[in-house]
Amino acid sequence: MMIDENLLVLLLALLLDRIVGDPQWLWSRVPHPVVIFGAAISYADQQLNPSSLTGSQRRMNGVAAILALLVLSIAAGFVFDRFFALFGLAGLVLEAGLVAIFLAQKSLADHVAAVATALRGEGLAGGRNAVSRIVGRDPETLDEPAVCRAAIESLAENFSDGVVAPALWYAVLGLPGLLAYKMLNTADSMIGHRSEKYIDFGWAAARLDDIANWPAARLSVLLIAAGAWIRRGMSPCREAIRVAMRDGGLHRSPNSGRPEAAMAGALNVQLAGPRIYGGVIVTEPMINNAGRDVATAGDIEDGVSVFYASCMVLTGLIFGLFLCFL
C-alpha cells in the first residue's frame, strides 16, 4: 500500500477509535487479536522457558521465540494487506477497522476517567478498585493522591505505546509494522520484566520493545505539550517540554519517563517516585519534584482533557501529512 493510502487508513482508524473505542459486545463474542498474541507468547513461554535450563539457554530461547513471533506477525500483516487490497475502497475501510482495534484512545481515556469517577462517588476503596484495572502496582498500598498519580502515569505512558507508537509504525510500515509492534509490545508486558523467570527469557523482547518505542516516546512529549497548550495555555505547554527534557530520563524505562514527565509538567504535579509491585518496593526519583505533591481526581480529569487534545493533534498531523502526499 502506498504511504498516502496508509495515512488515509490511519486517519479513518483514529477517528473510528475515538468515536467507538473498544466495543465490549464484540470482544465478549470473539477473541481480541491481542488475546491471540498473548496465547502465542504463552505457548512459547511454556515450551522454551523451563526452569531446568540455564540462564544463557533461556536467553537464547527468548531471542528465538520473539524473532519467530515477529516473523509470524509480519507475515500475517502481509496476508491481511493483500486480502484488503482485493476490495478496493471497501478494503480501505475494512483495514481502517482493523487498525482501530490496535489503537487505545477512547478505551484508555474511559478507564482512566473511571478512576476519578470512582474516587468522587465511592471514595478511596472505589478508586483503588478502578485503578487496579489499569496498573500493576498493589492498590491496597495506595492512598488517594497515589491512586491519582498512578492513573495519570498510566494515561501518559499508554498514550505513547497505545496510541502514538502503533500509529507511527502503521504509518511507516503498514499492517506488517503494526502487527509486529503489537506482538512485541504484548510480549514485553508478559515476559519483559525482571523477575527470576523472565530476566533471561524476556531479555530480547524487552530490549526490542525499548527500541520500538523510542521514537514514539519522544514524539509523545511534543504531542502532550501541544495538547496542554490547547487545553491549559502556553505556560503548561512550556512546562511539559521543560520537565520532559529535565526529568524524562529519571524513570527506570528509557521511554516511559518521557510522556510521564511531559504530563507531570503540563498538570504541575509530581509523578513516579517509590511504589510497590507484588510486595516489592521500587524506589525511583520523583518526576517534577517541584510540582504539587498531592494529585487529585481533578488532575486525572485535566489529564484526560490534555490526552484527548493530544490525540486530536496527532490526528491533525496525520491529516496534514496525507494532504502533503496527495
Side-chain angles (χ1 to χ4, degrees):
M1 185 181 290
M2 300 294 292
I3 190 167
D4 58 333
E5 292 182 348
N6 276 3
L7 292 171
L8 175 59
V9 168
L10 180 55
L11 180 62
L12 293 174
L14 286 165
L15 294 172
L16 181 62
D17 176 58
R18 174 64 182 85
I19 297 168
V20 177
D22 252 351
Q24 291 306 308
W25 60 266
L26 175 62
W27 306 129
S28 64
R29 291 168 172 79
V30 298
H32 193 287
V34 172
V35 174
I36 298 173
F37 290 172
I41 295 161
S42 293
Y43 179 79
D45 180 22
Q46 294 166 6
Q47 298 300 313
L48 300 175
N49 191 30
S51 58
S52 59
L53 296 182
T54 66
S56 60
Q57 288 172 325
R58 290 164 123 184
R59 179 167 292 199
M60 289 300 297
N61 282 0
V63 171
I66 194 60
L67 290 179
L69 291 168
L70 289 175
V71 168
L72 288 173
S73 57
I74 290 170
F78 276 114
V79 169
F80 277 111
D81 182 70
R82 292 297 87 207
F83 175 73
F84 291 137
L86 298 174
F87 299 95
L89 183 59
L92 293 180
V93 176
L94 291 172
E95 185 163 334
L98 179 59
V99 174
I101 290 172
F102 294 104
L103 300 172
Q105 295 171 99
K106 188 176 186 299
S107 60
L108 174 58
D110 286 349
H111 279 94
V112 172
V115 178
T117 301
L119 282 171
R120 293 189 188 281
E122 305 168 42
L124 180 57
R128 285 173 170 171
N129 182 56
V131 84
S132 69
R133 302 187 184 107
I134 57 174
V135 300
R137 66 197 68 178
D138 299 339
E140 296 307 313
T141 67
L142 304 177
D143 58 14
E144 185 166 330
V147 167
C148 295
R149 288 198 303 272
I152 295 167
E153 290 163 18
S154 179
L155 178 69
E157 179 181 350
N158 285 291
F159 173 59
S160 177
D161 61 19
V163 179
V164 181
L168 183 61
W169 284 106
Y170 178 79
V172 175
L173 295 176
L175 283 176
L178 173 63
L179 295 190
Y181 171 75
K182 292 303 294 186
M183 176 66 81
L184 181 59
N185 193 240
T186 305
D188 178 63
S189 67
M190 292 178 65
I191 63 174
H193 34 91
R194 296 184 179 182
S195 64
E196 182 179 352
K197 182 177 181 180
Y198 294 120
I199 191 169
D200 291 304
F201 186 72
W203 172 83
R207 299 292 79 74
L208 288 174
D209 185 71
D210 287 343
I211 294 169
N213 277 300
W214 195 96
R218 277 76 188 163
L219 176 58
S220 68
V221 170
L222 300 178
L223 293 171
I224 289 171
W229 176 64
I230 292 170
R231 297 300 188 200
R232 298 174 61 80
M234 182 53 70
S235 180
C237 171
R238 287 195 297 263
E239 280 298 291
I241 295 174
R242 187 182 70 83
V243 175
M245 292 179 65
R246 187 192 66 201
D247 294 350
L250 296 179
H251 200 281
R252 69 186 186 281
S253 164
N255 296 313
S256 298
R258 315 296 168 167
E260 287 187 22
M263 189 64 80
L267 302 179
N268 186 34
V269 293
Q270 297 177 1
L271 295 179
R275 47 206 186 274
I276 301 175
Y277 295 90
V280 178
I281 298 176
V282 175
T283 303
E284 288 186 2
M286 193 68 73
I287 290 175
N288 193 27
N289 196 48
R292 287 181 291 109
D293 60 357
V294 177
T296 67
D299 290 317
I300 297 176
E301 292 162 346
D302 288 344
V304 171
S305 176
V306 170
F307 165 81
Y308 268 141
S310 302
C311 291
M312 182 176 66
V313 173
L314 174 63
T315 304
L317 178 62
I318 298 302
F319 180 64
L321 288 172
F322 171 67
L323 293 179
C324 290
F325 281 96
L326 278 181

